[in-house]
Amino acid sequence: MRYLVGSLLMTCALGAQPAYDLLLKGGHVIDPKNNLSGVMDVAISSGKIARVAPAIPADQARTVADVKGLYVTPGLIDIHVHVYTGTGLKALTGDSSVYPDGFSFRTGVTTMVDAGTAGWHNFPDFLDRVIRRARTRVFAMINVSGVGMAPKGENDLKDMDPEAMARVAKEYPDVVVGFKTAHFAGPGWEAVDEVLAAGKAANLPVMIDFGSLNKVRNLKELLLEKLRPGDIYTHCYSGLRDELLKGGRVNPAMFEARKRGVVFDLGHGGGSFFWWVAVPAFEQKFYPDVISTDLHTGSMNGGMKDMVNVMSKVLNLGVPVEDVIRMSTWTPANKIRHTELGHLDAGAVADVTVLRLERGEFGFPDSAGGVRPGDRRLTPELTIRNGAVVWDLNGRAGRDWKSFPYKKR
């Protein structure tokens, strides 16, 4: 009888347990995949999205975060960063890169894609040194150069090996999402052709930054003859490759390439986003498919700053907030072929970003320092990665100190 009573008490106690670990209550949910944009609650349990619905009772959750007046979105995905650091080299494969966890969550980012910092030769070191240690989800594109963005990398044709690149991608399919060429100073198409060969061999997209134009390379041939549907043209507002023609007209090849399925990445960086290019392009409705930072120590301390700052620039160029969120969540998830991310489906991993839209008088420098004013700015209030709160600007998911169960040391 005693055991029966005890069992009944245990059953009652279990039955009284809250259904959810965390409830984000009263926020404006934007989930582009599901065409959601309105006030709803988001419930999280065991690291997964459990439910998105109006008026979920607060007593069903262990922790309730009041996010009224804020935007609740899928975790931001930054498709263009450089995070291969810690090597001691004075290059992007070292001091110029940024450890992901030190920068991601405080800027609302839960997933990063390293855009070709490491090549097929040093990728295993990058994997062990940074990717596997990070709480941030980090994917990678493999550089066409075996040593990647090292001090003497990216220009040695003998170091470009599409077979080796494809082999690494196939060995690490959970991490490698494509290939990248950048900073190639040669006059021809060699780096582009080699990276495309790797993309075809591994059936993965490539990201292209081929520097400036010359007598051989031109934007039209790249976009309309070289790149395949799904391949990514980054730094699309750099002005370095005739993206904007005389008279302020967007190069028609860019519109044609978009119809072909070429993806256009903003890729702000330290020298690749200028108002004199972006403003007329946006006026002509040439928007980016994806918003990204090209994060490194130079860009983060310059006009770029962080992901939400770049998103704020796009917002102030007249793009609706729902589209800005789509460009930063669901679209990049699709372009890197990880559609398990970038949305708030029930059962999806609980990567969530909560943003405040501030209104006031703000200034937004471009990569050269030219400033354009804006009246709206996005600020990350709360970042949730795999169901855990990893950034909480104002303690919305916390507990008042007067009732907090401190443990004396």
Side-chain angles (χ1 to χ4, degrees), residues 12 80 110 137 203 228 264 305 314 352 371-372 405:
C12 292
H80 189 156
T110 57
R137 182 185 294 100
N203 189 29
R228 308 160 297 163
F264 288 87
K305 294 181 174 61
V314 175
V352 184
V371 180
R372 186 174 187 271

Side-chain angles (χ1 to χ4, degrees), residues 292-357:
S292 73
T293 62
D294 184 14
L295 170 68
H296 50 78
T297 57
S299 64
M300 64 183 274
N301 292 312
M304 187 281 289
K305 294 181 174 61
D306 57 31
M307 182 69 169
V308 285
N309 188 63
V310 182
M311 292 166 65
S312 298
K313 292 180 179 183
V314 175
L315 185 66
N316 280 282
L317 282 166
V319 178
V321 66
E322 288 84 0
D323 289 335
V324 172
I325 299 305
R326 174 177 50 79
M327 295 169 181
S328 311
T329 56
W330 180 233
T331 299
N334 273 270
K335 300 314 176 185
I336 61 171
R337 303 180 186 176
H338 277 272
T339 54
E340 75 277 13
L341 305 174
H343 56 81
L344 300 175
D345 282 357
V349 62
D351 286 3
V352 184
T353 300
V354 178
L355 300 167
R356 174 185 296 279
L357 179 60

Side-chain angles (χ1 to χ4, degrees), residues 114-159:
D114 183 276
T117 316
W120 56 267
H121 179 71
N122 52 5
F123 176 76
D125 180 66
F126 178 34
L127 185 70
D128 292 339
R129 187 184 298 272
V130 177
I131 296 175
R132 296 297 194 209
R133 298 183 183 188
R135 292 186 70 189
T136 311
R137 182 185 294 100
V138 180
F139 296 116
M141 295 181 182
I142 303 297
N143 196 291
V144 69
S145 167
V147 296
M149 297 180 181
K152 296 182 179 181
E154 300 189 88
N155 286 298
D156 184 358
L157 296 178
K158 296 178 182 178
D159 198 35

Side-chain angles (χ1 to χ4, degrees), residues 260-272:
R260 292 184 58 241
V262 173
V263 180
F264 288 87
D265 169 38
L266 188 147
H268 192 296
S272 300

Side-chain angles (χ1 to χ4, degrees), residues 28 30 67-73 308 311-316 319-322 324-325 354-360 362 364 374-381 396:
H28 184 129
I30 299 178
V67 294
K68 191 179 300 181
L70 307 176
Y71 287 115
V72 179
T73 78
V308 285
M311 292 166 65
S312 298
K313 292 180 179 183
V314 175
L315 185 66
N316 280 282
V319 178
V321 66
E322 288 84 0
V324 172
I325 299 305
V354 178
L355 300 167
R356 174 185 296 279
L357 179 60
E358 299 179 278
R359 296 186 180 274
F362 309 110
F364 296 98
D375 60 5
R376 287 166 292 175
R377 183 173 65 187
L378 293 167
T379 300
E381 279 279 345
R396 292 179 178 274

Side-chain angles (χ1 to χ4, degrees), residues 152-193:
K152 296 182 179 181
E154 300 189 88
N155 286 298
D156 184 358
L157 296 178
K158 296 178 182 178
D159 198 35
M160 298 179 186
D161 187 340
E163 291 184 4
M165 295 166 67
R167 184 177 66 249
V168 170
K170 292 174 182 178
E171 186 175 354
Y172 303 102
D174 59 324
V175 177
V176 178
V177 296
F179 305 100
K180 170 84 178 290
T181 178
H183 313 137
F184 179 64
W189 292 104
E190 294 92 344
V192 170
D193 291 339

